[in-house]
Amino acid sequence: MKNSHSAAYAAAGVDIEAGYRGVQLMKEHVERTVIPGVVSGIGGFGGLFAPDLMGMREPVLVSGTDGVGTKQRIAQLMDKHDTVGIDCVAMCVNDIICCGAKPLFFLDYIAIGKNTPEKVATLVSGVAEGCVQAGCALIGGETAEHPGTMAADDYDLAGFSVGIVDRQSILDKRMVAPGDAIIGLRSSGVHSNGFSLVRKVFDVEHADLGRHVDALGMPLGEALLTPTRIYVKPVLRLLESVAVKGIAHITGGGFYENLPRSLPDGIGASIEKRAVPVLPIFDMIRRAGHVDERDMFNTFNMGVGMTLIVAAADLDAAMAVLEQAGERPVLLGHTVSGEGVTLC
C-alpha cells in the first residue's frame, strides 16, 4: 500500500492511508481469534474459512447479523470504545446458538465520521474479545469513512456471523409441551437493547455518566457499557448432554416478544416474577423513567439474557451442566397450554 495515496480523496475528507494504518494496528487483536479452519488473514477481498464437517451427516449453515444500536452513543460520550465490539459479536452469536449452531466466524463493519486508526483498532479489539468468548474467528471486516454524513466522532458498528449445525441437531420448538421447565441464564446488565429508552430516561447527553452510583457499585456510564454476555460456550456444553427443546435470546422486546419465538403455536410460558434476578440498573430505569412493569419486561432482559426449555425430567441434569460451565441458572417457570407469556 506504499504507493496508494489520493490528495483529491483526502481533500474530500477520506484518508485512505489512515485506513491502512488501522488495519496494521488491529492485526494483533485479530490474531487472538484464529481457530482451526481459518484459511486467510485480514486484508483480502474475502475471508476464507474451511469448516470441519467430520461427523456431520447434513451440515447446515446458520447466519446472524446485528449491530450495537444506540448503546454506542454511551461509548462515544464516555470516550470508551473497547467493549462495544463485544456487544456486536454477542448480538449475532447469541442468536445463532438459539438454533443449536456453533458460530464459526465473524465479520465486522464500522462506518465512522473520521477514520482515527487508534479508535478503529480499539473498536476491533472489542470485536476480537467477543470472538474469543464465542470461540469463533474474526476473518474480515470493513471500515468506511463517511465525512459530511457523520460527525467526526460518530461511528456505527455492525457485524455478521456464520455458524454450523447438523440438520438432525437443529432445535425443533415443536417438541415443546406443557409442563416443560424454563431455565434462565443471567445477564450482565442492559446488554445492547432498549438504549433509546435508556438514553431518554437518564438524559445521557447532559448527565454526569462518570459519577459513582452506590446502588450500582460503579459510575452510571460504566454500568450502561457493561458488555452483553456471550452464552455460546455454556449452551454448547449443555446441548452435548441434555435434550434442549428451545432457546430464546432475550433482546429488544424483552420476555413478551422473545420467549414466544422458542414456543410452538398453542404453547405459552408462565414466568414467576420473583424468580427473575432483576439487576439494580433495571430498578433505576424503572424509577427514573416512571416505566411500568409491563413495559420493563417488554423492553429489557430484566436480568435474564437467555432462556432454555427442557423437559421437567431433564431439569436437574441441565442445571448441573450449566453450573459446571460457570453459570448461575435460575428456574423461571414452565410452559403451559395457551399463547404468549404470563408473569405471575
Side-chain angles (χ1 to χ4, degrees):
M1 304 299 182
K2 292 181 179 179
N3 296 324
S4 178
H5 174 74
S6 170
Y9 211 5
V14 177
D15 185 352
I16 57 177
E17 293 178 279
Y20 302 146
R21 292 197 301 274
V23 170
Q24 291 302 313
L25 290 173
M26 68 179 68
K27 280 187 174 179
E28 64 176 287
H29 304 299
V30 175
E31 287 172 358
R32 295 181 56 217
T33 75
V34 174
I35 61 174
V38 174
V39 176
S40 66
I42 61 172
F45 287 101
L48 305 181
F49 191 92
D52 180 4
L53 305 180
M54 289 293 292
M56 287 195 172
R57 296 170 55 187
E58 193 175 355
V60 176
L61 296 179
V62 181
S63 59
T65 185
D66 210 334
V68 180
T70 62
K71 180 176 184 174
Q72 60 202 15
R73 181 57 184 159
I74 310 296
Q76 292 162 7
L77 291 169
M78 295 282 290
D79 194 24
K80 179 175 170 53
H81 312 287
D82 60 340
T83 60
V84 287
I86 301 174
D87 292 290
C88 189
V89 175
M91 299 310 295
C92 297
V93 299
N94 283 346
D95 280 355
I96 285 176
I97 196 65
C98 291
C99 300
K102 172 183 172 57
L104 297 175
F105 58 82
F106 188 87
L107 293 91
D108 61 8
Y109 176 82
I110 303 169
I112 193 165
K114 179 177 176 55
N115 189 344
T116 304
E118 292 76 15
K119 179 185 284 188
V120 170
T122 300
L123 286 167
V124 173
S125 73
V127 174
E129 173 59 27
C131 288
V132 170
Q133 292 183 23
C136 66
L138 176 57
I139 63 171
E142 178 72 16
T143 302
E145 200 166 13
H146 288 187
T149 63
M150 299 178 73
D153 291 335
D154 284 350
Y155 59 80
D156 190 26
L157 176 60
F160 172 84
S161 188
V162 171
I164 194 167
V165 61
D166 203 340
R167 183 181 288 274
Q168 64 185 2
S169 299
I170 297 174
L171 299 190
D172 185 357
K173 65 182 181 181
R174 292 174 298 179
M175 301 302 294
V176 177
D180 287 339
I182 303 174
I183 300 170
L185 300 184
R186 297 170 190 260
S187 71
S188 55
V190 185
H191 282 185
S192 193
N193 305 103
F195 270 85
S196 292
L197 178 56
V198 167
R199 291 184 300 110
K200 177 183 177 182
V201 164
F202 292 124
D203 189 17
V204 298
E205 298 295 328
H206 304 99
D208 182 2
L209 295 176
R211 179 179 61 86
H212 184 86
V213 179
D214 290 341
L216 301 175
M218 64 183 73
L220 174 60
E222 186 177 330
L224 294 177
L225 280 182
T226 301
T228 304
R229 287 203 59 216
I230 293 176
Y231 300 100
V232 171
K233 291 180 180 179
V235 172
L236 285 177
R237 187 166 172 179
L238 179 66
L239 290 171
E240 291 174 355
S241 54
V242 175
V244 178
K245 297 185 177 186
I247 302 177
H249 184 196
I250 309 302
T251 56
F255 281 59
Y256 287 104
E257 181 177 317
N258 292 289
L259 252 173
R261 297 167 69 180
S262 63
L263 301 170
D265 292 341
I267 302 293
S270 177
I271 302 297
E272 293 186 29
K273 286 187 291 186
R274 63 181 181 180
V276 179
V278 178
L279 296 169
I281 187 64
F282 296 114
D283 288 330
M284 282 191 64
I285 294 169
R286 178 181 55 80
R287 291 195 303 269
H290 304 289
V291 183
D292 66 36
E293 182 181 78
R294 178 64 165 72
D295 283 353
M296 289 296 296
F297 276 90
N298 208 158
T299 306
F300 302 107
N301 66 64
M302 299 303 289
V304 174
M306 183 159 282
T307 59
L308 310 157
I309 300 174
V310 300
D314 292 329
L315 174 61
D316 289 344
M319 297 290 267
V321 171
L322 290 167
E323 288 169 357
Q324 290 167 6
E327 294 292 326
R328 291 184 297 143
V330 293
L331 175 60
L332 294 173
H334 57 278
T335 55
V336 296
S337 296
E339 297 285 345
V341 176
T342 301
L343 269 67
C344 53

